[in-house]
Amino acid sequence: AVVSTQSTGDKGDSKRGVKHVFTSEQLVNREKCSRIMDLTELQYSRQFVGIETDCACFTCTRHTRAYVNHLFNTKEMLGPTLVSLHNLHHVRKLVESVRGVLKGGTDLLEWGMQ
């Protein structure tokens, strides 16, 4: 889920994985990119699942939305750190996916439309 507390400008920025950490914006797999979550909202304070249930990053496997919600709402530095780990994991998986597509000879535009 993409998590945001405020608009931060251009979403196509190559620094996206780290840039949105301080606004609690998080990256997700491309099938869910249209979904936006604001982890500072009250609804997440009682959700005891990872940010993405199918994500294998350190943050998603060890911490809940409720905990990250608490960290952001109390301005704890661990909140942005955990989001950064999640974002960097997602960017790495995305790059691996693109590399696989390029090695397989699939057109990137065709891959993006799937």
Side-chain angles (χ1 to χ4, degrees), residues 39-68:
L39 276 181
T40 62
E41 290 179 356
L42 183 61
Q43 67 179 343
Y44 299 112
S45 67
R46 297 191 179 173
Q47 293 185 4
F48 299 98
V49 295
I51 295 162
E52 280 188 88
T53 55
D54 58 347
C55 180
C57 76
F58 176 85
T59 301
C60 292
T61 58
R62 291 173 179 83
H63 303 287
T64 65
R65 291 176 185 173
Y67 182 58
V68 177

Side-chain angles (χ1 to χ4, degrees), residues 64-82:
T64 65
R65 291 176 185 173
Y67 182 58
V68 177
N69 169 277
H70 164 75
L71 293 173
F72 272 100
N73 287 328
T74 58
K75 311 276 190 263
E76 291 286 341
M77 190 59 207
L78 184 56
T81 301
L82 292 175

